Amino acid sequence: MAHPAFERSRANRALVRVALGSPGVAVRDLYELYPDFVIDVRAEQAALNDHAAIVLQYPIYWYATPALMKEWLDLVWLHGFAYGRGGEALKGKRLLVACTTGGGPEAYAPKAMHGFPIEVFLKPMEQTAVLCGMKWEKPFILHGAGVKSPEALAQASERFRKRLCALTEKCGR
Ligand SMILES: Cc1cc2nc3c(=O)[nH]c(=O)nc-3n(C[C@H](O)[C@H](O)[C@H](O)COP(=O)(O)O)c2cc1C
């Protein structure tokens, strides 16, 4: 999870709460772990090795991940680890992107504010999964994050809980 201003977050905070309460899920808050962007590559690779599914949770910033998550990908998903010769650490794992957007679903369409469906902006992540031999899961998208009522956030949280439950195959209820 990466959110550069988590103290002001509503949507990602709600989703993290769900993740923390989900059996079999370990949460790594990248901005808390690495506020100065000095990433412990070995620790991150070990955490990836330990899990059969990886969830990348973040608010969409300029149609992409926040900067630290990109840095994390650049430094941790290395040749020889994630891809290329000898790079099979992520092979067969599932990858779920869980992101929140300011724009509502109607804004992610041709001629609308953001011009393209959200899936188009997630293509680099999808192809990253393919290159690393991972299984790409249908992304979890929480649109219109800034204007969601507490009830709508609770509904989205429940939707996320079910996705994590299916991903971990550890359904608590
Ligand atoms: C620097 C920055 C860039 C953003 N870029 C986008 C964007 O490209 N598309 C979009 O829909 N929302 C964009 N937003 C809005 C955030 O995605 C939105 O505030 C966030 O998902 C809300 O989640 P939170 O409550 O966890 O902070 C941007 C916000 C910031 C601060």
Side-chain angles (χ1 to χ4, degrees):
M1 193 280 285
H3 193 309
F6 191 64
E7 66 285 354
R8 292 199 296 275
S9 163
R10 288 177 71 234
N12 283 275
R13 182 180 296 278
L15 299 184
V16 164
R17 200 172 293 135
V18 169
L20 287 170
S22 296
V25 176
V27 176
R28 295 181 77 80
D29 177 342
L30 295 182
Y31 278 92
E32 186 182 66
L33 284 165
Y34 309 116
D36 50 9
F37 277 54
V38 180
I39 293 172
D40 183 338
V41 174
R42 291 235 169 133
E44 293 305 313
Q45 289 182 340
L48 289 168
N49 281 331
D50 276 352
H51 294 86
I54 313 298
V55 181
L56 302 181
Q57 189 205 310
Y58 55 93
I60 293 278
Y61 275 15
W62 289 113
Y63 308 113
T65 67
L68 181 55
M69 187 166 276
K70 182 60 166 61
E71 179 80 347
W72 176 83
L73 284 164
D74 294 352
L75 297 186
V76 178
W77 293 38
L78 291 177
H79 183 273
F81 174 79
Y83 70 100
R85 199 183 161 100
E88 299 200 335
L90 304 178
K91 197 172 171 182
K93 294 184 192 288
R94 293 190 276 173
L95 184 67
L96 171 65
V97 164
C99 61
T100 65
T101 73
E106 71 293 342
Y108 281 88
K111 300 200 177 128
M113 186 175 180
H114 297 302
F116 299 90
I118 186 71
E119 289 77 12
V120 171
F121 299 110
L122 299 179
K123 281 291 168 202
M125 284 313 316
E126 183 174 352
Q127 178 53 26
T128 299
V130 171
L131 187 77
C132 297
M134 303 178 85
K135 294 180 200 140
W136 177 248
E137 299 284 328
K138 183 177 160 39
F140 175 91
I141 315 285
L142 198 167
H143 278 299
V147 295
K148 283 261 182 291
S149 66
E151 294 74 27
L153 264 188
Q155 278 175 12
S157 298
E158 181 56 17
R159 209 162 44 88
F160 189 49
R161 192 189 67 76
K162 287 187 176 144
R163 289 300 304 275
L164 292 183
C165 174
L167 203 61
T168 55
E169 293 162 7
K170 287 188 182 164
C171 299
R173 53 193 148 107

